[in-house]
Amino acid sequence: MYSLSFSIHLPLLLTLAALYHVGLADNHIRRAHKRIHRSGTVEKRAVVSGPWSLAQQGTTGVSGMQLAIVSENTAIIYDKVEHNSLNVNGHVAWAVEVNLDTKTVRALNPLSNSWCATGSFLGNGTLVNSGGNPVVITGQNGLQGIRMFTPCSDGICDVFEDPSHIHLTSNRWYPSSVRLEDGSIMIFGGSVGGGYINSAGINNPTYEYFPSKNINGFNGVRIPSQFLRDTLNGNHFPIMAYLPDGRIFVAANRAAMILDWKTNTETRLPGIPNGVRITSPFSAGATLLPLTPENGYTPEIMICGGSTVSDSVSPSTLSSQTPASAQCSRLVLTTAGIAAGWKVESMPQARVMPELVLLPDGRVFIVNGAQTGVAGYGNVANRVGQSNADNPAFTPVVYDPAAPAGSRFSSSGIPTTNIARIYHSTASLTPNGTIMLAGSNPNDDMSTTKYPTEYRMEFYSPPYLSRPRPTYTGLPATVNYAQVFTLAVTLPSTATDVSVSLMDLGFATHGVHMDQRMVKLVSVLSPDKRTLTVTGPPTPALYPPGPAFLYVVTDEGVPSFGHKTIVGTGAAPPFDAAALAK
């Protein structure tokens, strides 16, 4: 529900705009697509081997429950309202902007409690953080919260909220979200109140849009989802991914479906293999694997970790020592791939609450989580401190989806951390190509007991950062669909060719990375290796309009710095005044 006065505040957040124009692909892209390989395969790319490095640098001031990269040198972190030592405007802080260069923070001032919220970027680059928790200590009730942050370069931007006029249609605690091809977002599921696990009494089996839509007979109101009823109880923070055909992959508990949001039609998929539950409090990590011209932009989802414990018993009968699942499952989301079913592999280590982070070279970095127990705190019988989980997974593993089966996982050369990152931890790729780790707080409030509230940041540096790197200039501020543009590139002397990885670094919380994706763009390197001609994504379904980081990657597997652009026109998503008034 939004008041009509939303339009008064809109200039602070959004620029009124018409729908963007999607151009037809030109002959350049058609010629390049003649090189497409068999649909559904994952392209083999060069990777740099050797030792990784790990550095602990700086503290966050608030615990890193939610993390998103918002510019080339800044990230935003949201926490729950708790007794952090950092203050803002005379009260405890629960959000910060992190300077990735100096590793310092600037306190932000949201009005409502962002605990257990989700986040997605709009098509114009504004980050929308939605849902949350009732009042704790200070601030306002965040269950229907909509917090908007538009990145800036002057260090004065802040979170904008107007709870009286701009809010969700209903309470949402532990929802997920996904950006759509028109630059708006869908907020999906969650509970109307908090608890260890969802249940029929608190379930919110609906979804809604921001900005609101008049669609399928639902004018600005929430839309029911049978899937969210059928997947009780363990269906908090569903896994979602926008697909190149304009539909949405959704997984929760032990089930999966494809949602056609344009018709409100749910199509069930084969269930998660071997009875593994994959959403909170049995959290797995997930990502779409890279979408490339070579694989026909065929979507393939990968889900790793989780648990097989019951979701219908009292948590007091569960144990912090129950092994998590080591299962990784992949499903190609085409008719043939769905018929073939999930392909199952095993990680070297079982994990619940892992993070799956895409790298510019096409691999997946699996980090954080615990080897035993479940997510949350204060529930199982033999807690460690307050934690429902124990035995942190201290050693990351890299997964190469293009390697032969049986040789895809490796921890070779990766240092082991000594910082437990379990419940309320986050991770993200940065523009520089490092992987940032933050958070861990399986506690009701700031705590120094075992598995304490964690403020230290860590940065993993892959071996590609020890090699000479390509550089480039000339990236437009916006890249429209099928737009052809040129970059001036400087390559290492040993590089003979390059590719382009366009990446959405996503919004990370509770092991779920909203909107994370990589799309390989069609590109042609000039004979003198100084000019790279690049073609933007073919359609908005392949890469929904919004922020992107572009990495030029050499044929030796070394990426450039990822400079930021906005895919599409940079315009705000469409909105319907009547729907907003509902």
Side-chain angles (χ1 to χ4, degrees):
M1 176 178 180
Y2 316 101
S3 163
L4 277 173
S5 62
F6 175 76
S7 60
I8 298 172
H9 301 279
L10 201 58
L12 297 169
L13 288 303
L14 309 170
T15 302
L16 304 184
L19 287 170
Y20 43 74
H21 173 72
V22 180
L24 296 175
D26 61 13
N27 289 332
H28 168 76
I29 197 168
R30 293 193 189 99
R31 288 194 299 270
H33 282 179
K34 291 180 180 179
R35 301 194 295 268
I36 289 176
H37 299 166
R38 180 171 59 88
S39 176
T41 62
V42 177
E43 178 200 10
K44 182 64 178 175
R45 304 171 98 181
V47 297
V48 178
S49 60
W52 293 57
S53 65
L54 172 63
Q56 178 192 318
Q57 296 176 301
T59 56
T60 53
V62 303
S63 193
M65 179 194 300
Q66 302 162 33
L67 170 64
I69 306 299
V70 295
S71 77
E72 293 185 9
N73 64 355
T74 57
I76 190 171
I77 285 177
Y78 284 98
D79 190 6
K80 59 189 170 89
V81 182
E82 58 182 328
H83 287 101
N84 295 310
S85 60
L86 186 66
N87 282 266
V88 61
N89 287 11
H91 59 76
V92 295
W94 62 92
V96 296
E97 182 186 70
V98 181
N99 186 304
L100 298 172
D101 296 330
T102 63
K103 310 301 189 290
T104 57
V105 301
R106 177 174 67 90
L108 301 175
N109 191 37
L111 301 181
S112 64
N113 194 344
S114 51
W115 185 8
C116 304
T118 185
S120 287
F121 289 90
L122 295 173
N124 68 341
T126 293
L127 176 63
V128 177
N129 184 261
S130 56
N133 198 73
V135 176
V136 177
I137 304 172
T138 188
Q140 300 182 30
N141 188 329
L143 281 167
Q144 294 185 33
I146 292 179
R147 306 163 202 90
M148 292 181 275
F149 182 80
T150 300
C152 63
S153 58
D154 57 12
I156 62 172
C157 48
D158 209 335
V159 177
F160 175 82
E161 286 189 75
D162 184 356
S164 298
H165 302 97
I166 306 172
H167 54 83
L168 296 173
T169 63
S170 59
N171 292 355
R172 294 194 187 272
W173 192 83
Y174 273 66
S176 290
S177 56
V178 64
R179 187 167 74 254
L180 309 178
E181 63 191 80
D182 65 357
S184 66
I185 62 175
M186 174 190 288
I187 301 110
F188 190 85
S191 296
V192 298
Y196 157 73
I197 199 168
N198 206 356
S199 65
I202 60 172
N203 191 26
N204 189 343
T206 70
Y207 61 92
E208 61 186 277
Y209 298 98
F210 184 81
S212 254
K213 297 182 185 298
N214 183 353
I215 185 172
N216 297 316
F218 296 92
N219 187 9
V221 297
R222 53 185 175 158
I223 302 171
S225 167
Q226 186 62 40
F227 181 81
L228 288 169
R229 297 182 184 274
D230 295 343
T231 53
L232 288 173
N233 289 318
N235 67 358
H236 278 151
F237 279 122
I239 293 165
M240 305 181 76
Y242 205 76
L243 303 179
D245 66 1
R247 299 183 296 167
I248 303 168
F249 170 86
V250 186
N253 206 333
R254 298 186 297 184
M257 72 157 177
I258 291 178
L259 172 63
D260 187 335
W261 63 276
K262 298 169 186 175
T263 61
N264 192 28
T265 304
E266 299 179 351
T267 302
R268 300 304 170 96
L269 298 172
I272 308 302
N274 302 313
V276 176
R277 303 184 196 279
I278 46 84
T279 44
S280 188
F282 317 108
S283 309
T287 189
L288 272 181
L289 295 177
L291 298 159
T292 72
E294 289 78 12
N295 68 18
Y297 303 118
T298 301
E300 183 174 7
I301 196 78
M302 183 170 78
I303 302 174
C304 296
S307 177
T308 57
V309 303
S310 174
D311 71 341
S312 60
V313 300
S314 168
S316 64
T317 66
L318 303 179
S319 170
S320 63
Q321 304 306 308
T322 301
S325 172
Q327 178 172 283
C328 269
S329 303
R330 289 168 56 169
L331 183 66
V332 176
L333 297 169
T334 62
T335 300
I338 293 166
W342 293 90
K343 306 302 181 186
V344 176
E345 302 171 85
S346 290
M347 295 184 287
Q349 215 175 32
R351 292 178 193 250
V352 63
M353 303 174 284
E355 311 267 345
L356 271 60
V357 179
L358 284 172
L359 300 180
D361 61 13
R363 295 179 297 168
V364 182
F365 187 71
I366 304 173
V367 67
N368 295 350
Q371 298 176 71
T372 62
V374 295
Y377 61 82
N379 306 114
V380 303
N382 57 339
R383 300 180 293 276
V384 181
Q386 297 182 52
S387 175
N388 290 344
D390 195 13
N391 301 297
F394 287 117
T395 304
V397 60
V398 172
Y399 178 86
D400 186 345
S407 61
R408 292 172 178 159
F409 296 96
S410 176
S411 294
S412 177
I414 304 178
T416 294
T417 179
N418 61 1
I419 298 178
R421 300 212 186 259
I422 45 178
Y423 187 55
H424 288 167
S425 297
T426 48
S428 180
L429 182 71
T430 72
N432 190 42
T434 60
I435 300 95
M436 175 184 177
L437 308 185
S440 190
N441 190 19
N443 302 288
D444 184 55
D445 197 352
M446 193 281 293
S447 176
T448 58
T449 60
K450 187 170 183 181
Y451 302 138
T453 305
E454 184 59 63
Y455 298 102
R456 292 172 290 179
M457 291 184 284
E458 293 176 289
F459 294 84
Y460 272 101
S461 294
Y464 56 59
L465 291 179
S466 64
R467 301 281 294 273
R469 302 179 69 179
T471 61
Y472 72 84
T473 58
L475 180 64
T478 60
V479 172
N480 214 340
Y481 296 97
Q483 175 184 339
V484 177
F485 58 97
T486 58
L487 303 176
V489 296
T490 301
L491 305 184
S493 60
T494 54
T496 60
D497 203 358
V498 296
S499 60
V500 176
S501 295
L502 187 74
M503 302 190 69
D504 189 327
L505 305 185
F507 176 96
T509 188
H510 292 75
V512 183
H513 286 238
M514 317 295 170
D515 303 308
Q516 177 179 239
R517 73 203 293 118
M518 176 198 294
V519 175
K520 181 183 175 185
L521 299 183
V522 171
S523 62
V524 176
L525 184 63
S526 64
D528 64 4
K529 302 178 186 176
R530 294 180 180 178
T531 303
L532 186 64
T533 302
V534 186
T535 303
T539 69
L542 181 63
Y543 194 107
F549 292 84
L550 189 146
Y551 299 83
V552 172
V553 185
T554 72
D555 55 359
E556 297 174 310
V558 180
S560 69
F561 185 92
H563 294 289
K564 184 181 177 183
T565 186
I566 297 286
V567 174
T569 63
F575 70 96
D576 184 308
L580 292 172
K582 294 286 185 176

